[in-house]
Amino acid sequence: MHTTRALLRPLAGRVTNAAAMQQAALSLPRNRYPQHMMGRGASVVGLKDHIYFAKATASGAGRRGVVESTGDAPLKLNMNLPKVAGGKGEGQNPEQLFAMGYSSCFLGALQLAASRADHGELVDTAKVNASVFLGHPEDPNMDGFGLRVELTVEGCDDDAIINAAHEFCPYSRALTQGADIKIMKV
């Protein structure tokens, strides 16, 4: 299937009534993931407290709209589909932002893991590359899109440190063990 057509295929036969879509989203079970998503029977990672939170607001035309975050260093970005997906490519897209956040977070986790192992020097020049792929799920009965993420670590050959970073990184935990997600309406 041609990439542009794949990303922009019509939503025929899908729920389009806004009220029905909202009700369906709100009726999703919280903290419940299919067992095949949980890895070794683990449960969703809950939080007993929080030390920081980030808030972002999307407005406008979704993937062609605006997203902004307030806080210590406010950020406002114009969003756009990549050219390959039929957009003008004149803005950022959620997959770019996810890749940036994950690679940065994993690098921090890698540095912490190396430091805890008294081998901080092993990651002095390390880099983490994240590739985020958006595509259709293999399951033909699953609607929408899915993600595949590939991380590559440069400058660190220690598997134990890389594995420790993967276990510590909140992005890795969210993707492998689930996250506590609440969808609320205002």
Side-chain angles (χ1 to χ4, degrees):
M1 184 180 298
H2 187 270
T3 306
T4 302
R5 288 190 192 114
L7 290 174
L8 300 176
R9 68 182 177 186
L11 299 174
R14 300 177 184 164
V15 177
T16 56
N17 175 301
M21 286 176 24
Q22 183 179 32
Q23 184 58 40
L26 293 174
S27 67
L28 292 173
R30 290 188 186 152
N31 298 335
R32 304 278 188 233
Y33 291 86
Q35 193 62 33
H36 71 276
M37 292 174 58
M38 298 308 298
R40 292 181 268 143
S43 62
V44 172
V45 176
L47 301 180
K48 67 179 179 180
D49 60 10
H50 70 270
I51 58 171
Y52 174 77
F53 82 98
K55 181 178 179 179
T57 302
S59 59
R63 286 180 165 265
R64 291 184 177 103
V66 174
V67 66
E68 54 189 311
S69 179
T70 57
D72 296 342
L75 178 64
K76 184 175 182 177
L77 298 171
N78 293 317
M79 305 298 284
N80 203 308
L81 291 170
K83 287 182 181 180
V84 70
K88 294 180 180 180
E90 296 174 351
Q92 284 65 48
N93 62 68
E95 293 73 34
Q96 281 180 300
L97 302 179
F98 190 90
M100 292 171 75
Y102 197 175
S103 62
S104 174
C105 190
F106 196 92
L107 179 59
L110 188 70
Q111 292 165 341
L112 179 65
S115 175
R116 286 181 172 177
D118 291 325
H119 293 296
E121 74 285 352
L122 291 180
V123 296
D124 283 344
T125 61
K127 293 181 182 180
V128 175
N129 304 290
S131 298
V132 176
F133 300 86
L134 176 71
H136 295 102
E138 289 179 350
D139 181 348
N141 298 315
M142 187 178 287
D143 198 15
F145 298 105
L147 294 177
R148 183 177 83 232
V149 179
E150 295 176 2
L151 292 179
T152 55
V153 176
E154 294 179 43
C156 178
D157 293 328
D158 190 312
D159 289 340
I161 290 174
I162 293 171
N163 288 333
H166 183 53
E167 289 182 21
F168 183 84
C169 176
Y171 277 76
S172 291
R173 283 184 178 165
L175 292 173
T176 60
Q177 298 178 33
D180 186 7
I181 300 171
K182 294 175 177 64
I183 300 174
M184 300 168 275
K185 59 182 179 180
V186 187

